[in-house]
Amino acid sequence: MKTYIDLPLLVSAKILAFASDGADGDLDIWKKSLPLLSVCHDWRVQGIPRLYRHAIVEIVNTEYKDNSDEEERNHSEDEAVADSGGSDWDWDNSSVSNFNDLVSTDYKITTRVFSNIRLIETLGLGSMVKQLLFGKKQPEDIYKDQGGPRKTFMSVLEAMFHDLPDDKITKPFIKLYELEYMDAISGNDAQNLCHVASKAAASTLINKYPNVSSINVMVLNPNEYFQKLIADLAIVYDKQLTKLVCKIPPMLPYTLTAPNLVELDLRLESSLHQSLPTIFPQSLQRIHISFDDVQFSWDMFRIGNESKAIVFNSLVDLSITGMDQFSVTGNVVHANDLDLVLPKLERLHLENIILTRKDAQAMMSHGLKRLSYEGSIITASQLCKQPLRDLDTLNLVWVEEEYPEETDDFIPLTNEIFNKTDGIEHVRCEIRAADYYWSMVGIDWPYLTHLSLNFAIPFKKLFDMLPKVPNLVFLKLVIYYHYANEINEVREFLTSIQERYPEPSSSKIETLYLTGKFNQPCSYLCRQLLSGRAVENLKWYWPQLKDIKFQD
């Protein structure tokens, strides 16, 4: 029997990668992965750069019962952690001191900040750090900083700089920390000190971690101080950044250019009046932009006011997500003056947006391989008027409650789309609610390969519809019934298929995937419906059927 030591190096490396999967974005997984370094010498050699390339700061909101005994115990635990300098792993643990109500006066929460930075510095591995990650864990109903934005901001800095030197660059933070906890600071003074402390923190970090090339911010609902810190970090690492992920609305300065950026993931919110940088587009390979009611502008990738084109020479993957139907243009006034050039674009994901015809043509004119669209059927139809010849995958998702006026257009538009998809290997359609249910008999989808219906449909109606989808290989259905007699009707239908139909169908369905709804577990309904005779009949009528899967 081979031991880890006997395994080939490549196999050993793959096992280590699998065992430590997720450690780049979760402090708990990162901590649990540390014992892997003790398995053998090879794993230690491979694992140290793999794990210690991530400096992680996590903001954790913890709910607790508000009674005197509980408060006393929590206070004692805080003192114990403080006295020991953290847990066995020596985690940084900075806690916001005051508590706010969560839902009622009986339950409150505290905000704490945890980090692996102290351990990295203790081991002298700062030069290995390639990614700074700021994450947040919180109960579902907790959305705001518990304890105030300045105190949460200071807890982050305290976790990152537990060994602050007493010199001029860090004195603003020290003064801020002292005055805040004496309740002697407010207004503009606090804001100015926080901004100075943020710049000092960024300048200190690039000295501690000179090789950082990735900043990943997953914090929800950030305060202005934290946003300023992220902006300052982006500035000091500007020239060496290859990845910038901000799941918060960032306040990135105009001076940020990120000339070597490969991956960009930004969330934009109009209510914050964000300033946007001018990002050099040449090296970008992956872009994901999400926005609410702000109009996304290609201008952030425009180099020079005289430029009439934005050239993404390396862009392979583009995703734009909106919260409603919005125009995605270069600029409302000068939209027609900007040309997009995307010669290497392979994957395009669009969600709840409207493209100009010019942008759609640019995105689909150079060998696009994968197109995913979610939103309006009318917009999907307009998008699919572009040549689809180079696609190998087309994914379309419709949530018709958002567009009720489109119900009458459902059949003609979908038939037009799916009659153009000949030659595309994977053609997938997901319909997430039932407004189109009544018109589905009229479908003509000859090249559709995957269909997901997130609503219940009678099996008799389904059987009548499927001959119009002859190339379907995957079918997902919701099974949900209000009354017992409905279950009996379905059971009777499934057990009498061979009597109802004289011969098997020509269907190519290989997988039937069933899922439940609301409080009806799918496993219970399947036991009621899919007797041995029913399954036998389904496999007889759909001769290619291999798997029947279900999920509660």
Side-chain angles (χ1 to χ4, degrees), residues 277-544:
T278 301
I279 301 292
F280 280 85
Q282 284 84 353
S283 60
L284 281 166
Q285 297 178 19
R286 293 175 294 279
I287 296 176
H288 178 212
I289 304 290
S290 58
F291 56 93
D292 60 355
D293 57 345
V294 63
Q295 188 176 64
F296 170 67
S297 172
W298 294 112
D299 283 343
M300 67 182 293
F301 302 106
R302 186 180 193 174
I303 306 301
N305 293 330
E306 302 303 318
S307 175
K308 299 298 183 183
I310 300 176
V311 182
F312 294 94
N313 282 323
S314 305
L315 192 64
V316 174
D317 197 329
L318 175 61
S319 174
I320 308 175
T321 301
M323 302 303 292
D324 208 334
Q325 299 182 61
F326 300 111
S327 174
V328 179
T329 62
N331 181 282
V332 176
V333 179
H334 304 292
N336 294 328
D337 293 339
L338 284 173
D339 293 324
L340 295 181
V341 181
L342 306 110
K344 294 185 178 179
L345 189 65
E346 295 182 2
R347 295 179 294 276
L348 176 62
H349 176 89
L350 304 172
E351 185 172 340
N352 295 326
I353 66 166
I354 297 174
L355 283 178
T356 64
R357 179 178 298 180
K358 187 176 180 180
D359 284 353
Q361 289 174 344
M363 291 176 183
M364 300 184 65
S365 62
H366 292 285
L368 189 71
K369 298 300 182 186
R370 183 184 182 96
L371 171 62
S372 298
Y373 178 83
E374 177 177 334
S376 159
I377 291 178
I378 292 175
T379 302
S381 175
Q382 293 169 346
L383 190 64
C384 290
K385 289 184 185 300
Q386 305 302 319
L388 306 177
R389 58 183 176 271
D390 293 318
L391 290 179
D392 56 37
T393 301
L394 174 65
N395 294 325
L396 298 175
V397 179
W398 293 306
V399 188
E400 62 276 13
E401 289 100 331
E402 300 294 330
Y403 314 96
E405 70 282 358
E406 296 183 354
T407 304
D408 293 339
D409 297 320
F410 174 71
I411 289 299
L413 291 181
T414 56
N415 288 350
E416 179 186 356
I417 290 171
F418 292 125
N419 273 274
K420 289 185 59 181
T421 55
D422 184 19
I424 301 177
E425 184 176 357
H426 303 289
V427 183
R428 299 184 173 98
C429 173
E430 179 179 352
I431 305 174
R432 291 185 176 171
D435 287 358
Y436 300 142
Y437 161 79
W438 300 107
S439 58
M440 290 194 67
V441 173
I443 65 172
D444 179 21
W445 300 344
Y447 306 113
L448 189 70
T449 62
H450 294 67
L451 175 62
S452 297
L453 301 176
N454 288 10
F455 53 85
I457 183 171
F459 270 87
K460 174 65 168 67
K461 191 177 185 73
L462 179 70
F463 275 47
D464 293 342
M465 181 187 76
L466 286 179
K468 302 296 183 67
V469 200
N471 284 294
L472 199 67
V473 296
F474 177 92
L475 176 62
K476 179 181 177 182
L477 300 173
V478 169
I479 53 175
Y480 171 74
Y481 304 103
H482 291 282
Y483 307 106
N485 66 306
E486 292 180 298
I487 298 178
N488 293 332
E489 289 175 5
V490 175
R491 184 191 298 119
E492 191 276 331
F493 177 84
L494 292 176
T495 54
S496 61
I497 289 175
Q498 295 194 42
E499 287 74 34
R500 292 172 180 268
Y501 300 91
E503 59 185 19
S505 72
S506 59
S507 170
K508 298 179 182 179
I509 293 175
E510 298 178 359
T511 302
L512 175 62
Y513 192 100
L514 303 173
T515 183
K517 189 175 182 181
F518 301 129
N519 60 344
Q520 289 190 0
C522 184
S523 55
Y524 168 77
L525 289 173
C526 285
R527 285 194 298 270
Q528 297 291 312
L529 300 175
L530 297 180
S531 63
R533 178 72 184 278
V535 172
E536 179 183 321
N537 282 346
L538 283 173
K539 290 188 174 181
W540 172 82
Y541 189 69
W542 294 335
Q544 305 294 326

Side-chain angles (χ1 to χ4, degrees), residues 27 56-62 78 81 85-87 90-97 110-118 133-137 145-146 148-162 181 219 223 226 229:
L27 193 57
I56 304 173
V57 178
E58 274 189 1
I59 302 171
V60 182
N61 286 343
T62 305
D78 290 345
V81 171
S87 68
D90 200 22
W91 305 118
D92 302 337
N93 175 1
S94 303
S95 179
V96 174
S97 59
T110 179
T111 300
R112 294 186 179 185
V113 179
F114 296 88
S115 174
N116 62 352
I117 284 179
R118 184 176 300 182
L133 183 135
F134 299 87
K136 188 165 188 175
K137 293 183 177 180
D145 292 311
Q146 307 303 316
R150 290 200 300 269
K151 290 185 178 179
T152 300
F153 169 72
M154 289 190 302
S155 294
V156 171
L157 293 188
E158 188 178 1
M160 296 170 68
F161 302 104
H162 55 87
Y181 281 90
V219 177
N223 58 67
F226 190 80
L229 175 61

Side-chain angles (χ1 to χ4, degrees), residues 97-223:
S97 59
N98 68 318
F99 309 112
N100 294 332
D101 289 341
L102 174 60
V103 177
S104 68
T105 55
D106 293 332
Y107 290 91
K108 296 187 176 183
I109 58 174
T110 179
T111 300
R112 294 186 179 185
V113 179
F114 296 88
S115 174
N116 62 352
I117 284 179
R118 184 176 300 182
L119 182 59
I120 291 173
E121 292 181 4
T122 299
L123 297 175
L125 300 176
S127 62
M128 288 190 174
V129 174
K130 301 292 192 299
Q131 174 186 247
L132 296 177
L133 183 135
F134 299 87
K136 188 165 188 175
K137 293 183 177 180
Q138 59 185 30
E140 241 177 56
D141 297 328
I142 301 175
Y143 297 107
K144 296 181 180 179
D145 292 311
Q146 307 303 316
R150 290 200 300 269
K151 290 185 178 179
T152 300
F153 169 72
M154 289 190 302
S155 294
V156 171
L157 293 188
E158 188 178 1
M160 296 170 68
F161 302 104
H162 55 87
D163 58 347
L164 284 168
D166 186 16
D167 59 29
K168 62 180 181 180
I169 199 169
T170 54
K171 281 182 179 178
F173 167 72
I174 297 171
K175 182 179 179 182
L176 173 67
Y177 184 87
E178 291 173 347
L179 292 177
E180 180 75 30
Y181 281 90
M182 291 190 304
D183 295 323
I185 189 170
S186 61
N188 291 334
D189 290 339
Q191 187 177 50
N192 291 338
L193 281 172
C194 282
H195 286 182
V196 173
S198 173
K199 284 191 174 182
S203 299
T204 304
L205 265 186
I206 196 169
N207 292 322
K208 288 174 176 284
Y209 307 124
N211 298 316
V212 166
S213 59
S214 170
I215 297 177
N216 193 333
V217 186
M218 310 297 289
V219 177
L220 300 176
N221 299 290
N223 58 67

